[in-house]
Structures are given as structure tokens and as C-alpha cells.
Amino acid sequence: MNGNSFRNTMHSLNYGNVMEAAARNYMKEVKADEAAGANVGPVQYDLEDLEDDPELHALHKERIQQMKEEQEKRKVMESKGHGTYADVNEGEFLPEVTGAFQARSRSQPVCVHFYHQEFERCRIVDKHMQILARKYFDTKFIKCHAPDLPFFVTKLNVQVLPCIIFFRNGVAYDRIVGFEELGAKDDFATSKLENMLLAAGVIQTPEKGEDDSEDEADVIAKERANRITYGFTKYSDDEDSDFD
């Protein structure tokens, strides 16, 4: 569906919702009059009169404007990496974790996964982060190959991998280290990590109906294919301490 088609469709659906809500309110008012014993005689329901209601048109115009503003906001955020799970190098790290709040009055949190490309548990975290990045659009999700960022690894005291650090206003305020807090097992559910991020405040519960996440089964299939391609088929029990 192209842009014009999408806008026209949304416009029609939204207008239909407004008309339906107005009709319901109209019917309630008529029934209230009947219950009060008003001598109104036979009631004629002419919903076409609603189409000329100035209040209804004003409400419709307001909702269309809200939709346009949300669409523009999403485009701007997409251009800044929201909704994706990108690999960031040392030169890009500071702009990524600080740029989100410099351009806006309210902070937009950043979730950073420090990983090692040969650690299977880091690859497991990647699978879950990809899912959550698409679901929680207001939070920026990035990953950093720890050996390539020695300065920030030292500065942030990253000693055990995988390590997920939460940033707000460019400041690291909390973290998840290893798999101990995730149940100390490799097959934890995405919801386990999701609940921890919600508790930490790095993500916020999305509005009803908003779920752009990639299906978890598809991501798992891709990860299995990658392991076969690159030979990462062995789980290591001591990956956490290897990096230290």
C-alpha cells in the first residue's frame, strides 16, 4: 500500500469511528428522553444530519491532525535509529547515547548491549533485543562489540558479558550482567527480559494495538541459521568470565 492509499484508508476508518461514536451518543440522548417520559412522539433517526454537525467535523479534523503528527514523529525517530537494533562503533557510541535527549526536552532512554561475537550467550541476548527493539519504538536499542570499545568498557566497568546497560539523559543508571538475573539459563523467554526492562524504566508499556515486533519464532529461526553458517553451535558455560 502506497502512502496516499494508506492515508486515504486511515482517513476513512477514522471518520467511520467518529460517526459511529456520534450515533451512539445520539441514541443514548433519545433513549434518556423516552425514559424520562417526554412526549416526543414517534422518533425519526436520521444519521445523515450528523454529517453536517460542526462539532463532529472539528473532532474528525483534530484526530486526523494527531495521526499526522504521530506519523511525522515516527519518521524522525526512525531516522535516529529507533525501531532498529544497530551495531555501534566507538566513535558513534557517545552520539548514540546522548543525542536522544539533546534534541528534546524529555529524555528517551537507550538500551546498550555490550557483547563478544564469539559468545553464544551474547547471541541469545541479540535475539531478544531484536524483538524488543521493534516493539518498544520509543527506546533506542543498540549493541557494541566490547573488544572494539576498550575506552568505554573500562569507563563503564564492563567486566562480564553479556552486559546490558541502561542510559537516560546520557547517564548510565542500571544494568543487567550475565544470565543470573535472567534465571541462569539459556532458554529464557523474551518476556523475562522485557519485564526487567519495564521494571528498570528503560521501556514503557506500549498503547493497545501497537506491536511492531518481529515474530519471535522468525528471529529464532534466523539465529539458528546464523549458527549453522558461522559455526557457533556450542554453548559455553563460562563465557561470562572469559571476557574478564
Side-chain angles (χ1 to χ4, degrees):
M1 184 180 294
N2 59 37
N4 289 332
S5 228
F6 175 78
R7 283 192 293 272
N8 291 336
T9 300
M10 292 303 294
H11 184 282
S12 299
L13 289 174
N14 186 59
Y15 189 72
N17 291 337
V18 173
M19 288 292 296
E20 182 181 358
R24 285 198 303 267
N25 292 336
Y26 177 67
M27 295 290 286
K28 286 180 181 178
E29 291 177 2
V30 172
K31 288 181 179 179
D33 290 340
E34 290 176 343
N39 186 18
V40 294
V43 179
Q44 300 293 327
Y45 301 107
D46 189 357
L47 297 184
E48 291 183 359
D49 292 342
L50 294 174
E51 294 183 358
D52 298 324
D53 190 330
E55 293 184 4
L56 180 60
H57 281 286
L59 177 61
H60 174 59
K61 183 178 180 180
E62 180 182 351
R63 291 189 178 180
I64 290 296
Q65 182 61 32
Q66 289 174 351
M67 292 170 63
K68 289 180 179 179
E69 290 175 357
E70 286 297 320
Q71 187 179 29
E72 290 301 319
K73 174 186 173 184
R74 190 176 182 91
K75 287 181 180 179
V76 171
M77 293 177 69
E78 283 178 346
S79 69
K80 295 181 178 296
H82 290 260
T84 63
Y85 181 51
D87 207 326
V88 171
N89 61 38
E90 191 167 42
E92 298 168 332
F93 181 78
L94 276 180
E96 288 291 332
V97 299
T98 62
F101 80 94
Q102 289 177 347
R104 294 176 174 84
S105 57
R106 70 181 183 89
S107 64
Q108 293 187 331
V110 183
C111 188
V112 183
H113 172 212
F114 283 89
Y115 75 99
H116 194 291
Q117 63 184 1
E118 295 183 2
F119 288 3
E120 183 61 29
R121 281 189 165 180
C122 292
R123 296 172 65 83
I124 293 172
V125 170
D126 280 344
K127 174 194 70 175
H128 298 295
M129 294 280 275
Q130 287 171 0
I131 295 171
L132 296 175
R134 290 169 175 80
K135 183 175 182 179
Y136 294 94
F137 195 81
D138 286 341
T139 299
K140 180 178 288 188
F141 289 80
I142 62 175
K143 61 179 180 176
C144 302
H145 189 225
D148 296 336
L149 285 80
F151 175 80
F152 294 108
V153 164
T154 302
K155 190 73 173 176
L156 295 168
N157 195 29
V158 177
Q159 298 182 358
V160 174
L161 297 179
C163 180
I164 305 172
I165 302 181
F166 312 141
F167 289 82
R168 186 185 292 121
N169 293 344
V171 178
Y173 71 92
D174 203 354
R175 67 181 62 198
I176 299 174
V177 179
F179 273 25
E180 290 301 318
E181 297 177 78
L182 294 165
K185 58 182 182 180
D186 296 333
D187 60 346
F188 66 88
T190 302
S191 59
K192 178 71 173 179
L193 177 58
E194 182 178 16
N195 289 334
M196 294 188 69
L197 299 187
L198 284 168
V202 73
I203 58 176
Q204 303 294 326
T205 304
E207 296 178 0
K208 289 183 179 180
E210 180 182 341
D211 186 359
D212 298 326
S213 63
E214 183 175 353
D215 184 76
E216 184 171 355
D218 293 339
V219 178
I220 293 173
K222 291 179 182 178
E223 290 300 313
R224 288 175 177 168
N226 288 338
R227 285 200 291 272
I228 294 172
T229 302
Y230 296 104
F232 295 117
T233 57
K234 182 177 181 298
Y235 282 81
S236 173
D237 293 331
D238 59 352
E239 286 175 352
D240 295 348
S241 60
D242 282 349
F243 182 72
D244 190 16

